[in-house]
Amino acid sequence: MKMGESTQLQRVIRYFHGNFLFSIIMGAGIFVAPKGVLKYSSLNVGVSLSIWAACAIVSMMAALSHAELGTTFPRSGAQYYFLKRSLGPFIVFFYLWINLFSTPAGTAARGFLLAGYIMQPFYPECFFPEMPKNCLALAILWCLGILNDRGVKEVTWFQTVSTVVKMTVLCFISLTGIVLFVRGRKENLARFEKAFDAEVSDASQIAEAFLQGLYAYYGWGVLVKIAGELKNPSENIPKCVVTALTRVALIYLLVNISHLAVLMPKEITSSDFVAVTWMGGVIPLQWAISFAVSSSILSSLNCTVFSTSRIWYMASQESQLTLILSTLNIQSCPVVAVIQTVYPPLSSTLNPLSLHTSKQRSKKKSLASSAAPDFFPDYLPASHGALAPFRLCLCSQPQPSPWNPTEARASAPSPRPPRWVSRQASRADLIPINYVGFTDWIQLGLMMMGLFKLRFQDPHLSRPYKVRLPFEFGTMAKSLFLVLTPIIKSPKMHHFCVLLFILSGLLFYLPFVHFNLGSTCFNKITCFLQLLLKVSPADDVDEYISTEGNLQKNPPTTATKKE
């Protein structure tokens, strides 16, 4: 950054890189969700495939509705800014409150999972040691933090390369499935001919199946979070939504058909990790699946760190988080916001109690069968405060009876799968999909309400891209269905735990945001960190961004590509 230049985020992401950034949705979800969709569809192949297709349509409608936010308010953290403008600071704080906990929980869990998949091929017949796994997870998150501090160009190129690797593996599974389907046995073809003959699930089960399928599509809002760094966002965001989601939907359908062309529905639901079971039935190269999942998780983690830091950046500019989070370094990167995104997951890898617990579990597992239950796995350490609300939700589930080694051996199926498959299969549900989907669709419902409200409250607001009202109403109706149907039809304790956790944000909003207590202390910390990290506050974005999302006559030189 040269002398005299304005301090702002740079608009350097073009359509090509934005299209690959959007492909964050092809994360670990496609390797986890097929089992849940088929299970909640009552093993009905036709209903299962229909739900996958419907999830693609619902995601497209939601993403196109969401795209209006990024084109109307083309700034980084556009969701946060839009919610505050449409529904007020009180409601938007709950959005911030949810993300302050859900993002570190998901990032920590995926970091541990990624480390496990990288190490597992080197320990094919035994459990890998916990300490090296924790250190590897620490190194991965640390490197992603450094990469994001280097600037936007490095992040986008890394994301492009990792996404190409991920798509190559998924295309291999899809094409292999097509070949097996065409040359398949009669019993496999009969499975598709009688696709709708099985039992049809009720409304609550269908809602749960949708939450499982939509989890695989999660991530389509990433471009709205980084709209302030996109070139020509009014055109690139809708184009990326249509092209990327269409491609992902086609790949997902082919992957599921490939699963069903090789495996029976009962085999899919009994397998905790469908892709490994599928690979074992086609080519005995389990390390390839380990590589595929690793690339998917790494790509997803990188994009999560990049996009979430922009939410903290915008919340800081709107005075709901401390000012230091909206400062930029010499590469025009919100380095402190990146640290805020990466540090809570890092603390879980360094927690002494977590490491001590991991050692004790390793000793127990060396004496016990791999069938031993691991209800509170070490990737959600009990002592890490940011993950406590999600462990509270897990505690509301029925816990297994005390484990008996003799009974476990007697009841264990024979032959048993390789131990690394068992180990990683137990981690397939590391992120409670229904909890994540439940909170995500609450947030999306609020955004659609705000979008509908602004249509009538401010009809003359310039909207470069304006979604049709049926799309908004359809997305809002789907949000209400997915949130209310499970609560009304089959209420469970974790639904109320999630709602109670969201409302608990009121205890922090009143003293620290509404009454602004402790601001003097935060100002001293901000001054110290500015000198330590060599960062400076960003200029007011409203001076440079018009309502059309284009730069005005005298934009900051950092808002365009530097020569």
Side-chain angles (χ1 to χ4, degrees):
M1 189 180 298
K2 299 178 181 179
M3 292 291 294
E5 291 183 344
S6 299
T7 308
Q8 270 298 326
L9 295 174
Q10 303 178 42
R11 291 186 178 273
V12 296
I13 302 178
R14 298 178 181 270
Y15 169 75
F16 175 75
H17 291 123
N19 203 16
F20 280 102
L21 273 173
F22 189 86
S23 296
I24 182 182
I25 59 182
M26 290 191 298
I30 186 57
F31 300 100
V32 177
K35 171 187 174 180
V37 173
L38 197 58
K39 174 184 175 182
Y40 288 112
S41 302
S42 300
L43 304 183
N44 192 312
V45 174
V47 172
S48 173
L49 293 177
S50 299
I51 288 176
W52 279 103
C55 285
I57 296 173
V58 170
S59 298
M60 181 72 77
M61 292 173 59
L64 288 174
S65 302
H66 211 62
E68 184 176 330
L69 310 184
T71 56
T72 306
F73 305 104
R75 59 189 72 205
S76 295
Q79 294 103 323
Y80 176 91
Y81 180 84
F82 164 77
L83 281 176
K84 185 175 181 182
R85 174 164 176 170
S86 60
L87 300 179
F90 181 69
I91 297 297
V92 76
F93 182 79
F94 289 115
Y95 170 81
L96 182 64
W97 176 254
I98 292 171
N99 283 279
L100 280 171
F101 287 91
S102 63
T103 300
T107 303
R110 283 179 291 172
F112 280 114
L113 183 66
L114 175 58
Y117 270 105
I118 292 175
M119 291 183 60
Q120 200 59 66
F122 300 98
Y123 298 87
E125 298 298 330
C126 60
F127 294 126
F128 50 78
E130 295 293 338
M131 179 65 76
K133 185 203 69 173
N134 291 341
C135 293
L136 181 58
L138 171 66
I140 291 170
L141 294 173
W142 189 279
C143 290
L144 288 178
I146 294 175
L147 174 67
N148 278 268
D149 290 342
R150 295 297 302 168
V152 179
K153 289 184 179 180
E154 287 78 2
V155 172
T156 53
W157 277 109
F158 177 84
Q159 188 69 19
T160 301
V161 173
S162 60
T163 302
V164 168
V165 174
K166 178 170 53 177
M167 288 184 61
T168 301
V169 176
L170 288 174
C171 288
F172 167 75
I173 295 177
S174 303
L175 295 176
T176 304
I178 293 175
V179 174
L180 294 174
F181 178 75
V182 174
R183 302 175 58 185
R185 293 173 295 182
K186 291 183 178 180
E187 55 269 25
N188 291 347
L189 296 177
R191 194 178 308 149
F192 294 93
E193 293 173 358
K194 302 177 180 179
F196 292 93
D197 289 352
E199 178 186 356
V200 179
S201 304
D202 58 15
S204 62
Q205 295 280 51
I206 293 294
E208 297 286 353
F210 264 102
L211 286 176
Q212 297 281 330
L214 290 170
Y215 173 73
Y217 286 95
Y218 178 72
W220 40 255
V222 64
L223 289 185
V224 178
K225 294 181 181 179
I226 61 171
E229 291 154 279
L230 283 173
K231 285 193 173 183
N232 198 6
S234 60
E235 292 185 9
N236 286 334
I237 292 179
K239 283 169 59 178
C240 286
V241 167
V242 174
T243 56
L245 255 182
T246 303
R247 183 173 64 248
V248 171
L250 179 62
I251 291 176
Y252 277 11
L253 278 174
L254 292 177
V255 166
N256 280 276
I257 292 174
S258 178
H259 290 162
L260 292 166
V262 177
L263 305 173
M264 297 287 291
K266 289 185 179 179
E267 290 179 307
I268 294 177
T269 55
S270 62
S271 172
D272 288 314
F273 200 69
V274 181
V276 174
T277 308
W278 179 90
M279 183 62 77
V282 178
I283 305 173
L285 295 174
Q286 282 82 2
W287 62 266
I289 289 296
S290 178
F291 176 75
V293 177
S294 298
S295 63
S296 296
I297 299 173
L298 184 62
S299 173
S300 177
L301 270 175
N302 178 54
C303 212
T304 298
V305 173
F306 180 59
S307 60
T308 304
S309 62
R310 273 53 182 177
I311 298 292
W312 313 148
Y313 173 84
M314 178 55 66
S316 174
Q317 286 194 328
E318 297 297 318
S319 303
Q320 287 201 346
L321 288 178
T322 179
L323 177 63
I324 190 63
L325 293 173
S326 60
T327 55
L328 302 176
N329 64 3
I330 194 172
Q331 284 85 18
S332 297
C333 171
V335 58
V336 185
V338 171
I339 294 173
Q340 164 65 21
T341 307
V342 174
Y343 172 73
L346 285 177
S347 66
S348 67
T349 65
L350 294 173
N351 196 301
L353 182 56
S354 171
L355 298 178
H356 177 69
T357 305
S358 299
K359 288 181 179 179
Q360 289 185 333
R361 283 183 180 147
S362 297
K363 292 179 181 179
K364 290 180 181 178
K365 287 171 183 173
S366 64
L367 301 174
S369 165
S370 63
D374 191 11
F375 187 68
F376 285 131
D378 50 7
Y379 50 77
L380 290 179
S383 54
H384 184 39
L387 309 182
F390 296 90
R391 295 181 59 83
L392 176 63
C393 293
L394 288 172
C395 289
S396 66
Q397 298 298 304
Q399 297 198 22
S401 56
W403 179 69
N404 187 317
T406 305
E407 294 178 0
R409 293 191 186 98
S411 61
S414 181
R416 212 168 46 181
R419 183 171 289 187
W420 81 269
V421 175
S422 270
R423 176 65 173 170
Q424 296 300 341
S426 67
R427 295 174 180 268
D429 296 325
L430 78 154
I431 302 175
I433 294 177
N434 288 348
Y435 308 151
V436 174
F438 189 73
T439 57
D440 286 343
W441 281 89
I442 289 176
Q443 296 177 61
L444 185 60
L446 290 174
M447 290 180 190
M448 293 303 103
M449 290 172 58
L451 205 61
F452 184 70
K453 179 184 175 183
L454 275 187
R455 285 289 182 95
F456 294 93
Q457 182 179 330
D458 196 354
H460 302 294
L461 180 67
S462 178
R463 297 174 174 86
Y465 169 77
K466 191 174 182 179
V467 72
R468 296 183 181 274
L469 282 177
F471 279 43
E472 291 184 24
F473 283 120
T475 304
M476 191 183 304
K478 191 63 183 178
S479 175
L480 292 173
F481 171 76
L482 293 174
V483 171
L484 297 180
T485 301
I487 296 177
I488 296 173
K489 288 284 186 178
S490 56
K492 296 178 182 178
M493 184 59 68
H494 71 260
H495 293 132
F496 300 102
C497 287
V498 170
L499 292 175
L500 183 62
F501 160 68
I502 294 174
L503 294 176
S504 67
L506 184 64
L507 300 176
F508 291 83
Y509 173 79
L510 291 176
F512 297 110
V513 178
H514 186 72
F515 295 108
N516 198 25
L517 299 179
S519 59
T520 304
C521 178
F522 286 135
N523 289 338
K524 294 180 179 178
I525 296 175
T526 298
C527 292
F528 172 76
L529 290 178
Q530 276 190 260
L531 295 173
L532 178 66
L533 300 174
K534 297 181 180 179
V535 293
S536 61
D539 295 324
D540 187 4
V541 71
D542 290 326
E543 296 179 8
Y544 309 109
I545 299 181
S546 66
T547 55
E548 291 83 11
N550 301 316
L551 297 177
Q552 292 181 349
K553 293 183 179 179
N554 297 315
T557 53
T558 56
T560 58
K561 185 177 180 181
K562 295 181 182 179
E563 298 294 335

